[in-house]
Amino acid sequence: MTQKFPITYPVLATGTRYRWDKVRNQHQLVFPEGMMVLNEPGRAIVKLCDGRSTDDLIAALKETYPGSEPSDDVFEFLDQLAERGLIHDGSVDD
Amino acid sequence: MMDPLTTRPLALLAEVTYRCPLQCPYCSNPLELGRYRKELDTSTWVRVFREAAELGVVQLHLSGGEPLVRRDIMELVQEASRAGLYTNMSTGATVVDDRKLEQLREAGLDHLQVSLLDTEPESNDRLAGAASFDRKRQAVLGAKRLGFPVTLNVVLHRQNLDRIAEVIAIAQEWKVNRLELAHTQYTGWAFRNRAALMPTRKQLERAHEVVERARAAGTGGVDVLHVLPDYYFDQYPKACLQGWGMVSMSVAPDGFVLPCQTAREIPGLEFPNVSEYSLEQIWTGAPVFKRFRGTDWMPEPCRSCDKKEVDFGGCRCQAFLMTGDVNATDPVCQLSPQHHLVDEALKEAEQDAPPLHFRVMSS
Ligand code: SF4
Ligand code: SF4
């Protein structure tokens, strides 16, 4: 699939951070004025948005989830995050 | 429908003081500011933040007044952040310099919201009642240098709406992350100044066009939020607070806990205080939180309306201020028997504007 927001080195945008909500037992991505509930794979992806390339990110996911073929889903999720301004490309100065 | 007893609040608005060096004529603080001079001490606020985190609050909004006039503000930010809250601060940014910004960063503040009244320095300063444009500009640039995500908040009304293109341009120039174009909510001082603040329909239509055009052209990394005011275009009211006592609560400087920051203007409501009860007791048990929670309190036409769980009958403060009856359907709704009140206000907005009353601490 093609990415609407092609990002090669995803990093979380400033002010966006992962949070474990112990009251609701939830993984969350929190940012100014909002919050997104993450499932397990979502959390794994978000934790890997540290400036490594999407190829490395997918490779690392395969290690975490052996036997899985993550790709389209990952790009789709990254697209969602990018559209909401929650990640940006770490190789581009902004 | 959500069950309020299992639903937990996501946001807490902490108005840590009503003191403020500015005098914005649309300020949402109560008109009788002089009656509420008492402020909670540091340790009580810290307890409130911890209780909030335990209750499930995710986002804390430190606001006021001007939160930065509190001497213990760094400690408050630090403790809020330590409690695990995502900590936002709304500031007029007139009492902050680079050193203070750095301290805020170190204390763990997550997000800074700076208010700007107008893009013309002269008009900004006139509306704020004090020279403040340059300081606001310095603060935004300083915060960006330090790596804060910054939201520029511009409250829109008749006297600045025609410069909306300039507002978007300044947000881009200052490289803020978000621009919140908020139309004036007619409560507090804004209700008193309503006739001077309400834009004409023409102004609004033009502003809407400008925003749409800017969006289409791309706003250069600035996320532009713009919600049109409900008086003008909506057939139904907005879901105020996403429902009374459903997702948020607000603590006033003196410790009274309100379902909505402007609820103090509604007479006859009794608010609990954090010095007597925990936030959890208040959220689950205080009569004022249950008062308009859900749909049982609703009169007709809301009661038999299929939108009652969409907009919850609109804003209670607006309903009270306009109709005198806090139980009334929000008159913004076309189905409201008092919808003519909105039409009359809109008609008035087409006339010449009266002078502004600036916010003052006395009375
Ligand atoms: S709206 Fe203006 S006067 Fe009111 S608290 Fe904010 S900065 Fe101060
Ligand atoms: S009648 Fe009440 S519930 Fe129905 S749309 Fe109007 S305000 Fe909302």
Side-chain angles (χ1 to χ4, degrees), chain B residues 235-237 298-314 316 329-330 332-336:
Chain B
Q235 289 180 300
Y236 307 112
M298 286 181 177
E300 292 296 350
C302 297
R303 180 174 283 276
S304 39
C305 177
D306 60 4
K307 294 207 170 51
K308 67 181 173 189
E309 287 183 17
V310 176
D311 62 35
F312 307 101
R316 289 305 88 218
T329 294
D330 187 331
V332 162
C333 182
Q334 293 208 329
L335 304 171
S336 155

Side-chain angles (χ1 to χ4, degrees), chain B residues 122-240:
Chain B
E122 225 169 81
S123 169
N124 175 85
D125 295 356
R126 182 182 61 86
L127 287 166
S132 51
F133 182 87
D134 287 330
R135 288 176 181 216
K136 287 170 182 286
R137 181 171 165 276
Q138 288 301 333
V140 169
L141 300 181
K144 283 302 299 177
R145 266 197 308 276
L146 284 169
F148 270 115
V150 177
T151 297
L152 191 65
N153 274 52
V154 182
V155 174
L156 298 171
H157 46 76
R158 188 183 189 100
Q159 316 212 5
N160 63 8
L161 191 53
D162 293 338
R163 276 183 294 281
I164 197 161
E166 287 84 342
V167 171
I168 297 172
I170 226 173
Q172 287 176 281
E173 189 190 319
W174 293 358
K175 295 193 164 56
V176 300
N177 305 73
R178 301 165 75 247
L179 170 64
E180 220 173 276
L181 297 167
H183 285 273
T184 308
Q185 294 280 341
Y186 298 106
T187 57
W189 291 82
F191 185 71
R192 178 158 186 207
N193 281 310
R194 191 175 68 177
L197 293 174
M198 272 183 77
T200 63
R201 185 174 286 267
K202 245 213 170 88
Q203 275 186 299
L204 265 169
E205 280 166 0
R206 185 185 158 268
H208 182 57
E209 267 176 43
V210 171
V211 175
E212 289 310 304
R213 238 183 290 133
R215 279 206 180 118
T219 46
V222 183
D223 201 359
V224 179
L225 291 101
H226 180 228
V227 181
L228 287 167
D230 54 6
Y231 272 41
Y232 294 78
F233 300 104
D234 293 348
Q235 289 180 300
Y236 307 112
K238 300 215 183 331
C240 191

Side-chain angles (χ1 to χ4, degrees), chain A residues 14-17 19 21 23-24 28 30-35, chain B residues 8-10 54 56 58-59 61 84-86 110-111 149 178:
Chain A
T14 43
T16 302
R17 61 183 172 83
R19 175 177 185 275
D21 188 317
V23 177
R24 299 178 181 81
Q28 299 171 342
V30 240
F31 43 89
E33 305 289 320
M35 187 259 278
Chain B
R8 290 162 167 276
L10 284 166
E54 251 153 59
V58 176
Q59 300 262 0
H61 296 274
L85 299 167
Y86 188 94
D110 288 293
H111 169 219
R178 301 165 75 247

